[in-house]
Amino acid sequence: MEKECLACGKKPLDKNTIGINKKLIGKSIKTFYCMGCLADYLGCSVEDLIEKIEEFKEEGCTLFE
Ligand SMILES: [Zn+2]
């Protein structure tokens, strides 16, 4: 099923976006934010999120492409 942003309805959300939602909000969540809305929600910038994704990838996290 196609995932869309809970806040703005943007879709589809890519695997990295879904992965960072799960990492930062919780694995069991069923609704997801796009990068912009997640940054707003967490009070950080999209660039911070992209850096986080890169960090998790380097750790070999399977939630990311
Ligand atoms: Zn959004």
Side-chain angles (χ1 to χ4, degrees), residues 9-61:
K10 183 183 165 187
K11 64 180 180 180
L13 302 178
D14 66 25
K15 194 179 176 193
N16 288 340
T17 305
I18 301 216
I20 197 71
N21 272 264
K22 287 184 176 172
K23 273 287 190 185
L24 297 178
I25 301 177
K27 273 211 171 72
S28 62
I29 56 167
K30 299 266 187 325
T31 50
F32 304 93
Y33 292 107
C34 68
M35 294 296 279
C37 295
L38 183 64
D40 271 0
Y41 176 75
L42 296 170
C44 65
S45 69
V46 172
E47 286 71 29
D48 292 334
L49 294 181
I50 292 169
E51 269 179 37
K52 280 279 174 205
I53 289 172
E54 292 305 319
E55 279 177 30
F56 289 132
K57 275 192 207 170
E58 276 170 27
E59 290 169 9
C61 183

